[in-house]
Structure formats: C-alpha cells, structure tokens
Amino acid sequence: MDLAGNELEALLRGMRTNAQRAESLAVDIANAELDRKFVEMTGQVSVALGGAAVEVHKLHETAQEVAGLAHDTRRTHARLYEGLDAVRSSRKERTPKPGFFAR
C-alpha cells in the first residue's frame, strides 16, 4: 500500500504540473492569435487534468485510510488470537486446517 501511495503522489504531482502547463499553453496560443478552437481545446485539457488531479488526491486519501485500517485490523487480530496461537504452537500434535470442524 505504501508503494501505491507513493505512485499516487507522483501521479498527482504530474497531473497538476501538466494542468498548469496546458493552461500556460492555452494563454500562449491565445497570445499568438491562433484559431480560438485551439485555445478552448487546450483550456479544456487543463481543466480535465485539474479535475483528474482532484480525484487522484481523493483516491490517495482513501488508500491511506485503507492502509491504516488494515494495520489496525492486523494489530487487533494479533491481540485477540495470540493466546490461541501460543497454544497451537506449543503442541506436539498437528492441528486441523481452518474450517475442518465446520463440516
């Protein structure tokens, strides 16, 4: 999850940078007095990248939250089942696989 978080941060930075570049390019195109449709299309790209960056930011926050919850769950599981694990580990006999007694 940490690696995915780092990749999302890099993606977010890249999208923001590209959105700013597209916005700057739209201004340059307008100043060069090119056809207005190119200015509008470039501006739309800038807005789309900015919107995508916002969504990537939300995704990054969600990934961090999920990672935190997974860590908490792992800790809680270890705390609840450490006694059982100690009993099972200290026995000479093999224990059945999980679900064996559910049949």
Side-chain angles (χ1 to χ4, degrees):
M1 284 303 269
D2 291 336
L3 181 60
N6 293 338
E7 289 179 11
L8 286 172
E9 284 180 25
L11 178 62
L12 178 60
R13 281 192 306 274
M15 287 182 144
R16 286 181 176 162
T17 299
N18 287 336
Q20 291 169 348
R21 287 179 181 166
E23 184 179 4
S24 177
L25 180 60
V27 171
D28 291 344
I29 291 171
N31 290 339
E33 298 179 3
L34 293 174
D35 194 307
R36 183 82 185 140
K37 71 178 178 182
F38 297 114
V39 176
E40 291 172 8
M41 287 190 304
T42 307
Q44 289 175 359
V45 168
S46 174
V47 170
L49 284 170
V54 168
E55 297 305 317
V56 168
H57 179 70
K58 289 178 186 176
L59 179 61
H60 181 252
E61 288 177 341
T62 302
Q64 286 179 320
E65 183 181 346
V66 168
L69 291 171
H71 179 71
D72 292 346
T73 301
R74 184 179 292 128
R75 250 192 355 247
T76 301
H77 183 271
R79 182 177 45 82
L80 291 174
Y81 291 99
E82 68 185 343
L84 179 60
D85 187 51
V87 169
R88 290 179 72 196
S89 299
S90 64
R91 280 197 269 182
K92 293 179 188 176
E93 299 84 14
R94 291 179 50 181
T95 24
K97 292 181 180 181
F100 175 77
F101 295 112
R103 294 180 189 193

